[in-house]
Amino acid sequence: MEPYKELIGKFQEILKENSLKMTKQREIILQTIYEYEGHFIPEGLHKKVQESYPELKVGIATIYRTLQLLESENIVTSISFGANGKKYEYGGKDHHDHMICNKCGRLIEFCDDTIEKQQEKIAKKARFKIVNHSMQIYGICQECQENKK
Amino acid sequence: MEPYKELIGKFQEILKENSLKMTKQREIILQTIYEYEGHFIPEGLHKKVQESYPELKVGIATIYRTLQLLESENIVTSISFGANGKKYEYGGKDHHDHMICNKCGRLIEFCDDTIEKQQEKIAKKARFKIVNHSMQIYGICQECQENKK
DNA sequence: CTTATTGCAAACGTTTTGCACGTTT
DNA sequence: AAACGTGCAAAACGTTTGCAATAAG
């Protein structure tokens, strides 16, 4: 995975290009996301940031504003859950999709070239310009199948 | 497409199995969904129901409660838009996935056998039991590409 | 010194809930 | 009669916004 140094350099470039400023908050948020294992929700990120840097009193609004910025730059990606908000993850890994367990909520990652290529074909036919895509398979994960009660 | 008579029969069975009751509201909502062309949001469904049966004063809560029930029985399916709610559609048609225009919000349907089969392969490998799946391709639809400003 | 960014609290839109009243079984 | 469903209003939820104060360029 991309080293943190590279990531923050890329972020600084993006900021410069858009006449935005590098702040302590943005740096901490980026770092916390980079170090986050797996998927997270804005509130969880907020708690982690507050725990690590209580003296800064980072507000939840800043978390949301920064996530918006990072998502628009494809540094993080998100999956929506209707009224239940979004889950985010750091996007520096390879592209992948998710299987989502209906019982325990776990996200299992996968990626598949055949599907990726097929998507491109479909979009081309409809003259649809792909920006992004996501695919979810819902069901029951192996563990929950075994723990059935 | 499945005739309405069959649909309502199926619905009545589901209700009986779960010791739920058939009400005027549930019937009207089911019928309105069946007749809905394309995708809808809960508020739109609510308006349509109210217009057709103003004397019943169906509340938005009943719409949400009924949609929950119908979705859990796979009679409708939904796509989430994070904080922006969900779009629903009647699920009695053949399975299909969506391309979603980031500009105008339009949903374009497609379906593809290659992808469907590939999904099954992937799930089998992970011993994940598929209940459902959904796939979205985000981007810009043809029309919005032409109307670019 | 100009402009962007922040935290806070209030506002927002969607969805859910508590409750007394109605309806279905 | 018992159990479930309803409309209503209020609450809850995740998210966004207005604003005065603060910090970065």
Side-chain angles (χ1 to χ4, degrees):
Chain A
M1 197 159 74
E2 182 177 30
Y4 181 64
K5 256 196 162 174
E6 252 176 56
L7 174 62
I8 195 151
K10 181 163 122 195
F11 189 40
Q12 278 168 333
E13 258 179 56
I14 289 167
L15 294 173
K16 195 174 282 179
E17 271 169 31
N18 296 80
S19 320
L20 303 176
K21 293 170 180 173
M22 174 54 91
T23 64
K24 198 84 194 136
Q25 285 84 338
R26 283 180 174 155
E27 192 184 332
I28 288 167
I29 290 170
L30 182 66
Q31 188 193 324
T32 308
I33 288 171
Y34 179 81
E35 289 169 358
Y36 224 109
E37 314 251 327
H39 305 80
F40 61 89
I41 58 176
E43 202 198 310
L45 177 60
H46 185 214
K47 275 206 188 116
K48 236 179 207 196
V49 167
Q50 283 189 324
E51 277 165 25
S52 313
Y53 299 84
E55 70 282 7
L56 256 193
K57 295 206 280 178
V58 175
I60 189 75
T62 300
I63 298 286
Y64 278 102
R65 288 187 277 233
T66 306
L67 281 174
Q68 253 171 13
L69 173 60
L70 293 175
E71 187 166 22
S72 78
E73 297 294 340
N74 277 310
I75 293 179
V76 301
T77 58
S78 72
I79 295 181
S80 278
F81 290 85
N84 307 310
K86 288 179 170 184
K87 279 192 185 174
Y88 288 85
E89 69 182 323
Y90 171 54
K93 332 176 191 180
D94 291 338
H95 169 74
H96 59 265
D97 294 300
H98 295 99
M99 296 188 246
I100 302 172
C101 179
N102 287 339
K103 281 224 173 109
C104 68
R106 186 203 309 221
L107 299 180
I108 301 160
E109 302 177 355
F110 69 90
C111 87
D112 185 277
D113 241 26
T114 309
I115 291 178
E116 306 284 314
K117 291 210 177 103
Q118 197 65 19
Q119 288 177 340
E120 279 162 35
K121 268 191 206 165
I122 291 161
K124 201 169 190 180
K125 216 188 248 176
R127 294 181 214 287
F128 187 89
K129 191 177 158 198
I130 297 185
V131 169
N132 217 315
H133 68 258
S134 76
M135 174 174 147
Q136 298 85 237
I137 300 180
Y138 296 92
I140 314 293
C141 72
Q142 187 183 4
E143 205 167 289
C144 285
Q145 285 174 58
E146 288 164 3
N147 295 355
K148 64 185 140 205
K149 316 190 179 191
Chain B
M1 196 159 74
E2 183 177 27
Y4 181 63
K5 257 196 161 173
E6 252 177 58
L7 175 61
I8 194 152
K10 180 163 120 192
F11 190 39
Q12 277 168 333
E13 257 179 56
I14 289 168
L15 293 175
K16 194 173 284 177
E17 273 169 29
N18 295 81
S19 321
L20 303 176
K21 292 169 181 173
M22 174 55 92
T23 64
K24 199 85 195 133
Q25 286 85 339
R26 282 181 175 155
E27 192 184 334
I28 289 167
I29 291 170
L30 183 65
Q31 187 193 324
T32 309
I33 287 171
Y34 180 81
E35 289 167 357
Y36 224 110
E37 316 249 326
H39 304 82
F40 60 88
I41 58 176
E43 201 197 310
L45 176 61
H46 186 215
K47 276 207 186 112
K48 238 180 203 188
V49 167
Q50 283 189 324
E51 278 165 23
S52 314
Y53 299 84
E55 71 281 9
L56 256 193
K57 296 206 280 175
V58 175
I60 189 76
T62 299
I63 299 286
Y64 277 103
R65 287 186 278 231
T66 306
L67 281 174
Q68 253 170 15
L69 174 60
L70 293 174
E71 188 167 20
S72 77
E73 298 294 340
N74 277 311
I75 293 178
V76 302
T77 58
S78 73
I79 295 181
S80 278
F81 290 85
N84 306 310
K86 288 180 170 186
K87 280 192 182 172
Y88 288 85
E89 71 182 320
Y90 171 52
K93 333 177 194 179
D94 291 336
H95 169 73
H96 59 265
D97 294 299
H98 296 98
M99 295 189 245
I100 303 171
C101 179
N102 287 339
K103 279 220 172 115
C104 67
R106 184 200 313 221
L107 298 182
I108 301 159
E109 301 178 354
F110 70 89
C111 85
D112 185 276
D113 242 28
T114 309
I115 290 178
E116 306 284 315
K117 292 213 177 100
Q118 197 65 19
Q119 288 177 341
E120 279 161 36
K121 268 192 208 166
I122 291 161
K124 201 168 189 179
K125 216 188 250 177
R127 297 181 212 287
F128 187 88
K129 190 176 161 198
I130 297 185
V131 169
N132 216 316
H133 67 260
S134 77
M135 175 174 143
Q136 297 86 235
I137 300 180
Y138 297 92
I140 313 293
C141 73
Q142 187 182 4
E143 205 167 290
C144 284
Q145 283 174 58
E146 287 163 2
N147 294 355
K148 64 186 142 206
K149 308 195 181 185

